[in-house]
């Protein structure tokens, strides 16, 4: 009797030990990712500066170059996660993945003024989107990244006005409205994503206020803002 | 009251049909309450690329949430049925009923693994197991508790995880095989096998729950005048407790909580054994039973971190 009991505990101890090892290695890999992500974030903060708004194309180029490192680091992380156990350890890289989705989305938005697709984010990060292919880009993480983008853009709208550029707020307003439309199609349940989505309306409100301020003062650029080429 | 068991059973076998109905009817009616479907449709310009994109996300998220919800329901059914089995097993008083009750419990366990657990396994086929684990993990723990308790009473040993897994391997049914064939033709012609995995952690947590049942069994045994069983149980519980102590804090908070409860069970059983040893020779056993109906003095509640 005692024999079988101790066997059971021994095998569970082995299980615990191996899990511990997995977690440690994953943590190391995630730490590298976080470091690079912070670098990109710092880089992109330049757009809020008075002078930085004119250097957007260069900033985007630099940011894109950094994603090569990210891709490598995701490959490392990928190799640490046992097959079929993505969601067992998901919490470790959830946050950094969300932030990276946001950074990709921001870069693409600044360059092309459109919402980045999930496939494209996955490609930039060196991941796939199909769940059954192992390490993939989770839909929740992608959507959270987009919501972070809305938050950042509402800030950018304010700062671009301060910097004397009046065309960005109009474009951002149209963009965030469209994104809001998209998110309202989802039937979210009461989780983190829903909480972040609930904050989207405040971002939208902020951007609309900026647009309002511009229009009552006659500062709105003439012509349809959506059709205007990028004015630096 | 008599009808209750029947209705439960009926629900049990109808579940397959209910499910589809639930998905179509119940969910969408909830949404209609919040936001009229036709009005929402009119608002949205379907030609926008963003809208198309989010439509796809909507489908994916709904599928995920619905599956989660179904698994929660199934998990709850497993919990209820496992609890019933455990109560049934507690009803063994005399040796001559033992075989009958064990046979009944065995049958119930088989039904559980053939229907409800099988459905869980079916839902999880081709899905990420850990994504949905939280939905049905309490049910699995309760099932482990019932199975281990059953085997302990039957053979007096702790059943291992591998042995439990043996009952959870399923062979694909013909109709399922057909739908599978439609998806990926010529991939598997012989009936495929699939199984329900139990994580080692869920198994261990189930074993921790088992000790609570054994403690109750011990106290019951004294009540029935069986003065040998408490000592056997006490040895077993001590073994288990020693095993759990070895894990320390590495196994998570839930485990620490359960080990603390386990410790109290061990104390209770040890006190029971002590009382039997000391007073056993002095008084008739029916009076000894009364000793345990009064709460045990818990003078020193050891301060564990």
């Amino acid at each position: 009797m005692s024999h079988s009991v101790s066997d059971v505990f021994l095998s569970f101890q082995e299980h615990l030990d191996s899990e511990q090892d997995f977690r440690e290695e994953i943590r190391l890999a995630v730490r590298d990712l976080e470091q690079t992500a912070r670098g990109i974030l710092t880089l992109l903060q330049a757009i809020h500066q008075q002078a930085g708004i004119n250097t957007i194309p260069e900033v985007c180029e630099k940011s894109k170059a950094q994603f090569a490192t990210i891709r490598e680091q995701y490959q490392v992380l990928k190799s640490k996660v046992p097959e079929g156990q993505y969601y067992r350890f998901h919490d470790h890289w959830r946050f950094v993945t969300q932030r990276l989705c946001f950074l990709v989305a921001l870069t693409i938005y600044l360059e092309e003024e459109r919402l980045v697709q999930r496939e494209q984010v996955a490609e930039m990060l060196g991941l796939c989107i199909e769940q059954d292919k192992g390490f993939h880009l989770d839909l929740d993480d992608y959507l959270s990244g987009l919501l972070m983008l809305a938050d950042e853009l509402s800030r950018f709208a304010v700062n671009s006005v301060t910097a004397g550029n009046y065309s960005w707020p109009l474009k951002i307003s149209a963009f965030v409205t469209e994104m809001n439309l998209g998110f309202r199609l989802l039937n979210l349940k009461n989780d983190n994503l829903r909480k972040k989505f609930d904050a989207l309306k405040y971002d939208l409100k902020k951007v609309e206020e900026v647009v309002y301020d511009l229009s009552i003062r006659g500062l709105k650029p003439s012509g349809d803002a959506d059709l205007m080429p990028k004015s630096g | 009251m008599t009808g209750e068991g029947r209705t439960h059973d009926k629900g049990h076998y109808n579940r397959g049909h209910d499910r589809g109905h639930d998905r179509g009817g119940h969910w969408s009616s909830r949404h209609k309450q919040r936001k009229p479907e036709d009005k929402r449709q009119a608002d949205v310009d379907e030609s926008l690329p963003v809208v198309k994109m989010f439509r796809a996300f909507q489908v994916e998220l709904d599928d995920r949430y619905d599956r989660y919800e179904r698994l929660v329901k199934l998990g709850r059914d497993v919990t209820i049925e496992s609890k019933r089995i455990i109560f049934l097993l507690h009803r063994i008083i005399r040796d001559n009923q033992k075989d009958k009750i064990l046979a009944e419990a065995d049958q119930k366990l088989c039904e559980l693994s053939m229907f409800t657990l099988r459905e869980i396994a079916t839902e999880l086929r081709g899905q990420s197991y850990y994504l949905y684990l939280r939905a049905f993990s309490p049910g699995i723990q309760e099932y482990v508790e019932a199975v281990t308790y059953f085997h302990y009473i039957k053979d007096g040993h702790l059943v291992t995880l591998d042995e439990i897994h043996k009952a959870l391997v399923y062979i694909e049914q013909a109709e399922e095989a057909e739908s599978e064939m439609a998806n990926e033709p010529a991939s598997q012609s012989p009936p495929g096998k699939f199984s329900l995995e139990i994580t080692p952690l869920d198994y261990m947590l189930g074993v921790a729950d088992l000790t609570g049942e054994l403690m109750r069994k011990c106290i019951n045994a004294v009540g029935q005048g069986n003065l040998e069983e408490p000592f056997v149980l006490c040895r077993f519980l001590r073994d288990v407790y020693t095993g759990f102590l070895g894990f320390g804090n590495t196994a998570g908070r839930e485990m620490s909580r359960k080990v603390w409860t386990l410790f109290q069970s061990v104390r209770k059983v040890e006190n029971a054994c002590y009382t039997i040893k000391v007073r056993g020779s002095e008084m008739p056993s029916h009076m000894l039973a009364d000793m345990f109906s009064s709460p045990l003095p818990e003078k020193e509640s050891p301060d564990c971190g």
Side-chain angles (χ1 to χ4, degrees), chain A residues 1-2 4-5 8-9 12-13 15 87-88 116 118 131 138-140 142 178 182 184-187 189, chain B residues 35 50 53-54 57-58 60-62 64-65 128 130-131 156 158 200 203-204 239-240 243-244 247:
Chain A
M1 182 176 87
S2 148
S4 102
V5 173
V8 165
F9 283 98
F12 186 63
Q13 185 68 58
H15 168 78
Y87 286 101
R88 181 172 168 200
V116 69
R118 188 176 167 206
Q131 238 184 57
D138 188 57
L139 181 57
D140 271 26
Y142 165 71
E178 210 177 277
R184 281 185 35 195
L185 292 178
L186 306 178
N187 306 311
K189 63 173 187 175
Chain B
K35 221 185 284 171
V50 173
M53 204 164 118
F54 275 82
F57 297 157
Q58 181 192 41
E60 195 177 329
L61 280 179
D62 282 353
R64 188 186 277 196
Y65 293 158
S128 314
Y130 286 93
L131 179 60
L158 185 60
Y203 170 72
M204 282 326 272
D239 281 344
V240 173
F244 272 107
F247 301 144

Side-chain angles (χ1 to χ4, degrees), chain B residues 242-257:
Chain B
T242 317
F244 272 107
L245 274 186
F247 301 144
N249 277 333
T250 48
R253 189 178 309 144
E254 204 180 354
M255 186 68 102
S256 310
R257 205 167 41 82

Side-chain angles (χ1 to χ4, degrees), chain A residues 103-169:
Chain A
L103 293 170
V104 174
L106 181 61
T107 311
I108 299 293
Y109 178 73
L110 289 172
E111 275 195 330
E112 303 172 32
E113 292 169 23
R114 64 174 179 85
L115 189 61
V116 69
Q117 275 152 351
R118 188 176 167 206
E119 290 82 359
Q120 200 177 0
V121 179
E123 199 192 310
M124 282 277 273
L125 303 179
L127 306 174
C128 62
I129 56 168
E130 294 92 353
Q131 238 184 57
D132 36 352
K133 283 195 189 156
F135 205 100
H136 60 281
L137 175 64
D138 188 57
L139 181 57
D140 271 26
D141 291 346
Y142 165 71
L143 292 173
S144 297
L146 293 190
L147 291 169
M148 283 162 91
L149 173 67
D151 187 39
E152 184 76 4
L153 286 183
S154 73
R155 186 179 158 219
F156 179 53
V158 171
N159 289 332
S160 63
V161 172
T162 318
N165 184 318
Y166 301 142
S167 60
W168 273 114

Side-chain angles (χ1 to χ4, degrees), chain A residues 165-216:
Chain A
N165 184 318
Y166 301 142
S167 60
W168 273 114
L170 292 166
K171 287 184 272 187
I172 291 173
S173 169
F175 176 76
V176 177
T177 309
E178 210 177 277
M179 198 153 101
N180 188 41
L181 199 69
F183 269 98
R184 281 185 35 195
L185 292 178
L186 306 178
N187 306 311
L188 298 175
K189 63 173 187 175
N190 245 345
D191 60 359
N192 265 331
L193 187 61
R194 167 72 185 274
K195 233 182 268 171
K196 280 181 199 146
F197 166 65
D198 286 342
L200 182 61
K201 55 176 179 280
Y202 300 112
D203 300 327
L204 189 58
K205 184 164 172 259
K206 184 78 220 165
V207 179
E208 279 169 357
E209 274 170 12
V210 174
V211 172
Y212 169 76
D213 282 340
L214 289 180
S215 27
I216 59 163

Side-chain angles (χ1 to χ4, degrees), chain B residues 221-249:
Chain B
V222 179
Q224 289 143 22
N226 184 343
L227 297 185
E228 279 130 58
E229 195 163 13
F231 292 95
V232 181
L233 284 167
C234 186
R235 250 197 318 275
F236 182 77
L237 281 182
R238 235 180 252 148
D239 281 344
V240 173
Y241 179 60
T242 317
F244 272 107
L245 274 186
F247 301 144
N249 277 333

Side-chain angles (χ1 to χ4, degrees), chain B residues 9-294:
Chain B
D9 273 350
K10 258 174 108 178
H12 193 80
Y13 295 115
N14 281 342
R15 197 156 301 113
H17 309 289
D18 282 358
R19 228 169 58 202
H21 173 72
D22 260 2
R23 231 191 327 178
H26 176 71
W27 276 97
S28 62
S29 68
R30 272 258 301 269
H31 291 305
K32 264 184 196 138
Q33 256 178 5
R34 255 198 345 217
K35 221 185 284 171
E37 198 85 16
D38 39 351
K39 186 173 172 283
R40 204 182 64 175
Q41 223 74 322
D43 289 348
V44 175
D45 180 2
E46 293 288 338
S47 61
L48 280 175
V50 173
V51 171
K52 275 186 198 141
M53 204 164 118
F54 275 82
R55 281 275 178 226
F57 297 157
Q58 181 192 41
V59 171
E60 195 177 329
L61 280 179
D62 282 353
D63 175 64
R64 188 186 277 196
Y65 293 158
D66 287 355
R67 187 182 311 275
Y68 192 90
E69 228 40 63
R70 288 198 297 273
L71 281 166
V72 168
K73 276 188 200 157
L74 289 170
R76 216 166 282 152
D77 289 339
V78 174
T79 308
I80 295 169
E81 192 56 24
S82 302
K83 282 208 156 87
R84 288 200 178 131
I85 294 171
I86 292 167
F87 274 116
L88 176 70
L89 288 168
H90 272 302
R91 259 169 244 148
I92 300 177
I93 297 171
R94 284 182 305 277
D95 270 348
N96 53 11
Q97 356 164 252
K98 192 174 163 183
D99 288 339
K100 193 171 151 272
I101 289 186
L102 277 180
E104 200 181 328
D106 193 23
Q107 206 215 330
K108 280 183 175 236
L109 279 171
C110 276
E111 275 173 18
L112 196 56
S113 77
M114 278 336 287
F115 295 104
T116 320
L117 289 169
R118 189 196 158 102
E119 264 189 68
I120 293 183
T122 314
E123 285 285 358
L124 287 171
R125 283 193 78 185
Q127 300 289 329
S128 314
Y129 180 85
Y130 286 93
L131 179 60
Y132 300 102
L133 178 60
R134 259 189 312 204
F136 58 92
S137 161
I140 293 291
Q141 286 173 30
E142 207 66 37
Y143 173 72
V144 170
E145 183 181 343
V147 173
T148 46
Y149 189 45
F150 170 76
H151 281 278
Y152 181 78
I153 291 179
K154 200 166 155 236
D155 320 311
H157 79 278
L158 185 60
V159 68
T160 63
L161 184 53
D162 290 337
E163 285 169 285
I164 296 180
H165 272 156
K166 272 178 205 146
L168 302 177
V169 178
Y170 307 106
I171 308 237
E172 216 163 59
Q173 271 168 7
E175 47 161 38
E176 277 172 358
E178 222 171 57
S179 65
E180 192 80 358
M181 293 284 266
N183 285 342
E184 32 184 327
S187 62
Q188 348 160 266
S189 21
K193 270 188 185 172
F194 63 105
S195 61
L196 181 63
E197 290 282 318
I198 295 178
T199 62
L201 184 63
D202 277 343
Y203 170 72
M204 282 326 272
L205 290 172
V207 171
D209 287 335
L210 164 73
T211 56
E213 300 309 325
L214 292 180
M215 183 270 288
R216 277 171 64 188
K217 185 174 166 56
C218 168
I219 303 298
N220 283 343
V222 179
Q224 289 143 22
N226 184 343
L227 297 185
E228 279 130 58
E229 195 163 13
F231 292 95
V232 181
L233 284 167
C234 186
R235 250 197 318 275
F236 182 77
L237 281 182
R238 235 180 252 148
D239 281 344
V240 173
Y241 179 60
T242 317
F244 272 107
L245 274 186
F247 301 144
N249 277 333
T250 48
R253 189 178 309 144
E254 204 180 354
M255 186 68 102
S256 310
R257 205 167 41 82
K258 289 209 168 166
V259 172
W260 169 240
T261 320
L262 165 56
F263 176 65
Q264 309 226 287
S265 300
V266 173
R267 289 292 303 266
K268 254 181 224 172
V269 173
E270 282 177 347
N271 283 336
C273 291
Y274 166 83
T275 314
I276 293 168
K277 261 280 179 322
V278 176
R279 315 262 180 94
S281 51
E282 293 169 13
M283 65 173 94
S285 53
H286 71 270
M287 282 184 71
L288 204 58
D290 291 338
M291 299 285 307
F292 297 102
S293 45
S294 57

